[in-house]
Amino acid sequence: MMKRFILNQNFVGILLLTAVVLCNTSCSKDDDNDKKIAESMLESLDKTKWVFDGIGFPAIYLKFNDTNTDFIELWAAIAEMECYIYGSSEDDNTLQIIENSKTKLVIKATESSEYYSLMIITYVGDKLNIKDEYYVNGVLDDTDVLVFNKTSVNLDNLNLCDLGFEFKSPLVKQSFSN
């Protein structure tokens, strides 16, 4: 009788322990989602904001989104008017993602059949490196390299320019060329 009582007590204890373990693993948050490792550059950059304030250049802000259409937004300052021109890849059909790997994002801006540019984006920590390559008839014509710093500025508070017309120029060409 005592043996049966001890076995039942162990069985109940094991059953309780199993129930607690099962409940803990099935009811807890999915740790895989919390520690998701980015598979692409856009996933890594999603919702991040960056600023370029180089000598001789007005301030440029970039914001990245992990989407196929609205993947990059840009605010470029017009110092004389104390306002910003806004552009988005969603509104610019000349922009196309060429590569979106874990370590590099390449965006192509096609101006015409003769002229296009590649924006090659990489980053480490709080530094975003953008190398612009400008091509004429498929031959590299010029390059620029810009370094952006991570920022937490509220882009919704920027004063947008009222130019009296809709800004429809290619996003990359207008913002990064001289």
Side-chain angles (χ1 to χ4, degrees), residues 2-177:
M2 184 60 108
K3 190 175 180 183
R4 184 181 291 175
F5 178 75
I6 292 173
L7 287 175
N8 283 341
Q9 290 293 63
N10 285 342
F11 179 73
V12 170
I14 291 171
L15 187 60
L16 238 98
L17 182 60
T18 304
V20 168
V21 168
L22 285 174
C23 185
N24 228 5
T25 57
S26 63
C27 297
S28 68
K29 290 192 319 186
D30 187 0
D31 289 337
D32 291 339
N33 286 340
D34 290 345
K35 298 175 185 174
K36 182 180 176 186
I37 297 172
E39 297 296 322
S40 71
M41 182 69 73
L42 278 179
E43 283 179 349
S44 296
L45 293 173
D46 190 34
K47 307 291 184 233
T48 60
K49 298 175 278 188
W50 303 84
V51 62
F52 174 77
D53 197 11
I55 298 171
F57 289 90
I60 299 170
Y61 292 101
L62 296 176
K63 180 181 174 194
F64 291 89
N65 303 300
D66 186 19
T67 70
N68 290 330
T69 56
D70 192 17
F71 48 87
I72 188 169
E73 296 176 84
L74 175 137
W75 292 260
I78 298 181
E80 301 81 34
M81 296 175 63
E82 296 180 0
C83 61
Y84 291 84
I85 295 174
Y86 172 79
S88 166
S89 56
E90 187 171 51
D91 301 326
D92 190 342
N93 61 0
T94 67
L95 298 178
Q96 171 187 2
I97 296 174
I98 302 299
E99 180 181 338
N100 184 16
S101 68
K102 200 172 195 170
T103 59
K104 182 173 23 173
L105 176 64
V106 180
I107 300 170
K108 182 178 182 179
T110 305
E111 189 174 324
S112 69
S113 60
E114 297 173 356
Y115 301 100
Y116 68 90
S117 64
L118 295 178
M119 187 165 70
I120 302 160
I121 302 168
T122 58
Y123 81 100
V124 175
D126 291 345
K127 299 283 185 204
L128 183 80
N129 300 301
I130 299 180
K131 180 180 179 185
D132 279 321
E133 297 179 345
Y134 302 99
Y135 292 84
V136 178
N137 293 318
V139 177
L140 182 62
D141 184 56
D142 195 13
T143 61
D144 287 320
V145 177
L146 301 176
V147 177
F148 284 72
N149 295 304
K150 201 168 204 176
T151 183
S152 60
V153 69
N154 185 349
L155 298 172
D156 293 332
N157 288 339
L158 297 179
N159 180 31
L160 296 182
C161 299
D162 182 10
L163 301 175
F165 61 89
E166 191 173 345
F167 182 66
K168 282 289 199 180
S169 298
L171 183 70
V172 175
K173 183 83 170 147
Q174 279 296 316
S175 60
F176 298 117
S177 64

